[in-house]
Structure formats: C-alpha cells, structure tokens
C-alpha cells in the first residue's frame, strides 16, 4: 500500500512564527502536492512539485513556500504564520496516470 | 481545468444503491474523471477513475456517457460506513486536480 505520512497531526503556533510541515511518501512518485481544506471552501491546491527541486504554484500560493530536495519528501513552509492560515493541511503524492494518495492531514492552529 | 458540478448532499438508507451524478461540460480530450471519498478528519481516498464507458472495481462503478460531459458514481448496497463526502474531479490524472465542494452522502439505518 502507498503510504503518505505527515510530520504532525496537530500543531499550534503563534502569529509570526515560521512553520514547517513535512510530508514523506514511500512509492517513488514523481508528483507531490500540498492542499489546505477549510469548511465551505473544500480542498485548495497550494503548491505542487513534479520532480526534485521543481515546484509550481497552485491556486493559493500566497504566504507559503515549498521545498523538494529529495524525491520522497515535500515540505510546506509558512514563513510568518498568520491566523488566516489556520486550516487542515493535506499532502498528496501521485505518479503519471495514477491517482493522488493523501496523507492523514495536519490540523494547524495559529494563535 | 474543467469545472465540475455535483449535488451538495444525498441521503440514503442502508442496503440501497446510491448514484451521484457529476456534470463536467468543459471536459478536455485528455482529461480523466476521478472520484474520491473523504471521511471527517481524514485525507481523501481514491475510489475510481475512468476515461469513457464503464469502470467497475470492488468499491464502486463509474458510468461515463459517450459525450463525457457527465459521469455517475454508483455505490451498490451502501452501509453506514459509506457516509462521507464524495468528490468528482476532472483533469489530467497526473497533474492539478480541482476539488469542488463534493457531495455529502448520509446513510441511515
């Protein structure tokens, strides 16, 4: 079975802190994705990566950056957390002609 | 990216068949149709994917008419554990997928 793991299930941070969300997949997938999910807004794509060191902006990249130094790891960075970034963050991976496999999610609260 | 339209919610009783129809009038030639299931506080889970006609697996069936402007996810004999949000997505299967609001399916005894 494909396994996508995220570093934390729950995180509480303060406004202005730098936040790192880590995601690791074990299926050698080329593509990895970061979404956030908010009530009434569904899942929205933040960034995705189709190869090591490659990244593309999704629909809502503002306030976020990403890093993909190794194929299996894709990190989401909040340079200066704000309260409007309180959300559920979901990482996914997938190869060509394959579906996306999601991690369990990280629920982030920014105070 | 092709936009999708699906019902906001559907109610069903245990043992019934549930059919969720998704409209995607602007589907492109290379687009696949994919359905995901999501339980509360969990990430979405892939259910089924198709390009045309009919696809069936151990969980569901996917019916796609010839014009591909819509698709229907069929869940046979649902149980309480099928209560979830179901998302219809259209796009190149490897790339950016656009998640809509999904359909909340509630199964009651």
């Amino acid at each position: 079975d494909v396994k996508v793991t995220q570093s934390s299930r729950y995180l509480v941070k303060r406004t202005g802190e730098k936040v790192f969300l880590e995601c690791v997949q074990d299926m050698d997938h080329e593509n990895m994705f970061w979404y956030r999910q908010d009530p009434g807004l569904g899942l929205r794509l933040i960034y995705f990566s189709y190869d090591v060191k490659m990244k593309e902006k999704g629909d809502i990249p503002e306030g976020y950056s990403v890093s993909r130094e190794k194929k299996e790891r894709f990190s989401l960075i909040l340079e200066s957390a704000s309260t409007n970034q309180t959300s559920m963050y979901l990482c996914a991976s997938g190869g060509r002609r394959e579906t996306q496999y999601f991690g369990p999610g990280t629920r982030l609260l920014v105070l | 990216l092709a936009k999708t339209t699906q019902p906001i919610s559907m109610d069903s009783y245990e043992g019934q068949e549930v059919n969720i129809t998704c409209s995607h009038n602007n589907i492109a030639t290379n687009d696949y149709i994919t359905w995901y299931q999501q339980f509360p506080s969990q990430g979405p889970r892939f259910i089924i994917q198709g390009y045309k006609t009919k696809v069936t697996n151990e969980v569901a069936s996917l019916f796609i008419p010839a014009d591909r402007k819509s698709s229907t996810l069929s869940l046979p004999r649902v149980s309480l554990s099928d209560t979830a949000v179901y998302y219809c997505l259209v796009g190149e299967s490897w790339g950016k997928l656009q998640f809509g609001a999904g359909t909340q399916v509630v199964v009651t005894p």
Side-chain angles (χ1 to χ4, degrees):
Chain A
D1 275 353
V2 175
K3 195 166 184 182
V4 179
T5 57
Q6 296 183 228
S7 50
S8 305
R9 288 304 306 270
Y10 301 94
L11 269 181
V12 181
K13 296 292 181 181
R14 295 207 175 273
T15 301
E17 279 192 79
K18 192 169 186 176
V19 182
F20 292 89
L21 302 182
E22 303 282 337
C23 176
V24 178
Q25 52 100 356
D26 66 357
M27 283 300 293
D28 201 36
H29 283 156
E30 298 165 349
N31 305 309
M32 296 188 74
F33 308 81
W34 275 107
Y35 296 86
R36 62 178 283 177
Q37 185 171 30
D38 302 286
L41 296 176
L43 280 87
R44 293 179 291 168
L45 181 63
I46 305 171
Y47 267 98
F48 69 102
S49 168
Y50 53 88
D51 202 352
V52 174
K53 297 192 185 294
M54 306 302 286
K55 61 185 179 183
E56 292 280 344
K57 292 180 180 179
D59 299 316
I60 50 163
E62 296 78 21
Y64 304 94
S65 62
V66 291
S67 172
R68 187 135 182 236
E69 296 296 319
K70 293 184 178 181
K71 193 173 185 179
E72 68 271 17
R73 189 179 298 269
F74 191 34
S75 302
L76 180 69
I77 303 155
L78 288 65
E79 294 290 341
S80 176
S82 63
T83 54
N84 63 13
Q85 292 179 309
T86 290
S87 185
M88 167 74 96
Y89 289 89
L90 290 158
C91 173
S93 77
R96 286 188 175 271
R97 297 291 183 201
E98 294 172 0
T99 64
Q100 293 187 22
Y101 297 89
F102 284 80
T106 296
R107 195 170 290 280
L108 173 67
L109 172 62
V110 182
L111 299 173
Chain B
L1 294 172
K3 184 179 177 180
T4 60
T5 302
Q6 54 185 120
I8 294 174
S9 64
M10 295 184 75
D11 296 329
S12 180
Y13 292 105
E14 276 190 299
Q16 288 188 330
E17 179 182 78
V18 172
N19 295 306
I20 309 171
T21 296
C22 178
S23 298
H24 27 80
N25 291 317
N26 297 323
I27 189 168
T29 303
N30 294 331
D31 287 344
Y32 279 68
I33 300 157
T34 311
W35 285 81
Y36 288 82
Q37 174 192 57
Q38 186 177 25
F39 299 112
S41 299
Q42 294 186 25
R45 181 178 75 105
F46 166 81
I47 299 176
I48 199 165
Q49 183 180 74
Y51 184 80
K52 60 181 179 181
T53 63
K54 177 184 174 182
V55 180
T56 297
N57 61 22
E58 64 278 6
V59 177
S61 294
L62 178 60
F63 299 92
I64 306 169
D67 66 4
R68 303 200 328 121
K69 293 184 182 299
S70 67
S71 59
T72 298
L73 176 73
S74 180
L75 305 172
R77 297 179 298 282
V78 295
S79 64
L80 298 178
S81 62
D82 292 316
T83 293
V85 178
Y86 293 82
Y87 295 95
C88 165
L89 286 81
V90 173
E92 293 187 50
S93 64
W94 64 270
K96 293 172 62 174
L97 298 179
Q98 194 79 35
F99 281 82
T103 298
Q104 173 70 62
V105 171
V106 177
V107 181
T108 53

